[in-house]
Each structure stands twice: as structure tokens, then as C-alpha cells.
Amino acid sequence: MEAAMDLMRRISPNQGETALSALLAILPSHSSELLSQVDQPLQVLMDAKCEKEFILCEYNRDADSYRSPWSNEYYPPLEDGSLPSAEMRKLECEANDVFAIYRDQYYEGGISSVYMWEDDGQGFAACFLIKKDGSKSGDGRRGYLHEGTWDAIHVIEVGAEEDGKAHYCLTSTVMLSLTTEGKPSGTFNLAGSIRRQMNCDLAVADGHICNMGKMIEEMEGKLRNSLDQVYFGKTREMVCTLRPPPEGIQMKLPE
Amino acid sequence: MADWGEESENPELTEKQKKEIAKWFLTNAPAGEIQYVAKDVRALIADDRLYNMAAAEAFPLFNKAHLVVLEMPDRSGDVIISSFGEIDKDNFFDPRTAQIVTVDHMKQVCTKVRPANDEELPSAYVEEFRFALDAELCKYVVDTYPKGTCAVYCTRGKDVDGPGVNFDFAVVISASRTSPQNFCNGSWRSIWTLEFKDDLQVVEVKGKMQVVAHYFEEGNVQLDAKNECRDSTLLQSPEDCAVSISNTIRHHEAEYMASLEESYLHLPDTTFKDLRRKLPVTRTLFPWQNTLQFSLTRDISRELGIGK
């Protein structure tokens, strides 16, 4: 597994799907470990009943069908597919509605889905997903991107309430790829994938959705900045090391 | 390419499939990282015979594609492994020192070297142009790339012994930087094809540049940038051609470098914004705290001025 994970860190994120399916073929006995550890671009299905798209992941899957957070039904239809409890479903619906607005504010388009399920212990867990196609032909408002995708997966484990507080453990993964095309600059493609964790103890009185939402917002901001400044910045540094620009050219990254 | 022959009824991979997978990982290793990838693949395949078969096919492809630079055994300089200088699978020509090296692809080292014989070398007429261009290019490369290497090959018409016939050159520039302790590697490759058209007294210049960079400290981010361009210059004496061709190359590469910088400068505020804004249009964080359970959505919509 160590070798497999090292390979996933080296192969270009753009080829992640091919790499993962190769690893699954070589290590069939490790398939569940691989699927949970390796990040993959998100897939989407159409909920025909509500006429909305929803995102697929392990947490809304049962057999080969996926549950839509809008209609709470499985596609393709599945008899006795597992459903969240009434209480969970209520929270899940509210989360989906609020998160859709959050998504619109930051992503100006895209698709989001939230899934919740009860934990073995006293708490519960939730998975917030966002998929954005920022290309000119997709939801890219300004037309800069020939191709661009942003996939975010946030999994939060919420512990049982103690003294009015609950422990929230967030694991976030962002995968992105962007390609610009222009006469003088040919094609320019940056692709990346990072994963981080955040733990907080917050007052339950503020509301679970509020608490989780704030954590996600903070995390996404950090990841976006990190990708932009540190990660992409490092690749830029490498280019300047390979072929240093002439003296007098502004090299500092903008604040 | 994502179908590796995996079937739910028969999960066993054939030897051929395993070999293809090994080969795929090796040839798709990032610049400068094939040995690390090789170690991982070897562990995964767990079958040295199969691994060696895959590596024997994959390493030469990787080395040629990445214009890997190797030190020549007699310390006469460096040789670029490229398809332009390929005599056969394991033997490559270095035009500057007029030698042929034998290469161990998997270890990425030169094992032998011998002088090239007359049939393997271009004619004196062609060599005049090649030599002059090589000298000018070396100056450019030494000035511009801290760890760069270049080579000029005659790819067509090497036996042309006087004016009146066309011939072609390929110019290869390869610069790479590996910094595994900093989790960062990268390479610059440019390939320039030059068509010396005697009838038109012109040299057609076509360039292909590719820059890649990989940063992988607690993450995995890769840059892959490519560019193509064309130009032309007058066919003159070998020395004048050398100067004007290398100036053309210098000009286009510098222009490309500048446009790469531009792309990076635009990243945070424009390009990235099409994926995710730094902040909503309201320039404030999202109002999660409006959490009266049922009116949450309504309040937020109102606050954000969204019509419902």
C-alpha cells in the first residue's frame, strides 16, 4: 500500500483515474483501502424526479445505486436501499439547501450535495461535496479557462454532545485542474490534489449546520490559498530556477 | 486506457496486463522521478522477471521523451538521450564530441563510448553549419539555463556536400532540476527543427517547448505547459546562420518564459476565480449564523438579496 500511495503522489493528478484503476487491478485485495485513501474526481447523476444533478460518493451508494439528496431516492431504483432516519433526513435536507446557497456564493455555479448518516456511537457524520466546471463551456464566468475543474470533498465526524459542545473532525480534499490556452502561451495546465484535517469543539446551540459550515468555509479558504500560493507558487519557482528571468523583472508573487 | 482488463468474474490479471500496467507507470513518471516510481512498481508487481521486461521497454521511452542528460564515461562532456541521436536502442550519438555512447537505460548511465566513424558523421559542408550553430547555442544555453545542455543534430541530408540541396537540423535543449528533499522537481525541454531550404535561401524554424514541474510535499501539484512557434531566417554563411538562428531561438524562448510568468500572475485573481472565488460578491464570509432552523434558508436568501 505504501508503494501504491507513493505512486499516486507522483503520477499527474490529471491521470489519477487511470492510475487508480491500474492499482485496483494489481491489488484487488486492497480495493476498499485504496478507494477510501485515494481521491478521485467526482461523478454526477441526474435526479429525474427533481430535475437536479447530484454527486456520487461512497456515502450515498448502496450496491450499484446512488441516493439523491433531493428526492431521497436511488438511481437506478433500488428496493430496500438504505435511507437515513427521519431526523437525519430533516437535517440533511436543510444542509443541502443552505450549502447550495453557499456554493452559489463562492462558486457561481457548480453542483453540491450533502449526505448524512448516523454513526455507530452517539454521533453522526456528514459528507459535503462540490463539483465545479469552470471552463468556458461550463460555468466559467469570465472565460479564462479552456478547461477547469474543482472537486471538493468534506467529511465531518460529529461526536456525541458533552456539556453543550460536540467534537467535529473535518477531513477535506480538494482536487483541481485548470488549463488556459492562448496564442503566445500555448497550453498551460496546473493540476493538484491536497488533503487536510481540522478538529474543533463547538457549542451545539449554534447549530450543527452552522458549525460544520463555518469549518468548511475556513478550510476551503485555506486550501484555496495554499494551492494558489504555496503549491502553484512552488511550480512557478521551479520554472524560474530552470530558466531564470532577466534582471529587473518583477518576481514577487502578488500579495 | 482506463480498462486494464479487470473483470469481476475473473479478477486475475494476465502477465501481459501486469506488464502493461508497470510500463504505464514507468513511462508516466514525472521528470526526474523514474527511479522512485520504479521502486514502487517493482514492489507492486512482485515479480522481477515481469518487472524487468516492462522496465526494459519503458526506460528507453522515458529517457528519450525527457531528453535525459547523461555524463559520458571518458568525462568528455554530457550526452542527451534523444530520438534524433538514436543509432539503435542502446546506442546514442553525441554530435559535439563525435562519439557514440552505449547506455544502460534502466540504470540511466553510459557504459561505453567510442568515436563515431565517417559514415555516421555529417559531411564537412553540413558540419560547418552544425558546428557554428552548436557554438552559438552553447553560449546561449550557458547564459540562460543554470543546468542546461544542448545538442545540434543533422536529421536529414547529412551527406550533402555543397550548396544546392536542402538539409534539416534538430536542436535540443534540456534543463532539469531535481530536489527530492524539497519535494520539488522540474524540467525544461525545447526541440527546434530547422529546415535549410537552399532553393528559397531560407531556414524554416519550428519550435516546441515544454516545461513541467512537480511539487509534492503533503499533496501533489503538477505544472505542464507547452508551446509551439514558427519563424524563419535567411540562409547565409554558417556563422551568420548560427547567430541569427540562435537569436531567433533566444527570442521565442524568452517570449514564452514571459508569457508563463503572465499566466502565473493572473492565477490568483482571474483564472482561479473561475473555479472558486476568494470571497462571495458581498465580500464577507457566508452568514451561517442565521441559524433559526427553518427560516435559515429564507433569511440567508433575503440577506444575500437573492430573489426566491
Side-chain angles (χ1 to χ4, degrees), chain B residues 2 38 51 82 120 125 161 195 205 208 224 236 262 285 296-297:
Chain B
Y51 166 77
S82 75
E120 290 164 329
Y125 175 70
D161 53 13
E195 290 171 28
V205 180
K208 276 195 182 150
D224 183 1
Q236 305 152 307
E262 274 273 309
L285 293 174
L296 177 59
T297 317

Side-chain angles (χ1 to χ4, degrees), chain B residues 11 20 25 33 44 125 128 131 134 179 222 253 267 269:
Chain B
E20 288 306 301
F25 275 113
E33 294 182 34
L44 283 175
Y125 175 70
E128 249 194 284
F131 182 83
D134 192 47
S179 189
Q222 309 215 9
E253 292 193 344
L267 208 42
D269 297 311

Side-chain angles (χ1 to χ4, degrees), chain A residues 125-185:
Chain A
C127 177
F128 291 73
L129 305 143
I130 292 186
K131 186 171 184 72
K132 165 83 190 272
D133 174 357
S135 65
K136 285 196 284 230
S137 46
D139 283 332
R141 290 286 166 91
R142 296 158 198 85
Y144 287 115
L145 295 174
H146 180 69
E147 264 166 19
T149 57
W150 169 292
D151 288 340
I153 303 168
H154 304 280
V155 180
I156 307 189
E157 286 163 351
V158 186
E161 187 176 331
E162 243 187 73
D163 294 329
K165 285 192 166 187
H167 182 81
Y168 298 83
C169 174
L170 166 64
T171 306
S172 298
T173 307
V174 168
M175 291 170 280
L176 70 80
S177 172
L178 56 90
T179 310
T180 58
E181 225 180 51
K183 269 297 155 119
S185 60

Side-chain angles (χ1 to χ4, degrees), chain A residues 4 69 77 116 122 126 132 147 188 199:
Chain A
M116 294 189 176
Q122 301 254 340
K132 165 83 190 272
E147 264 166 19
F188 177 90
N199 282 283

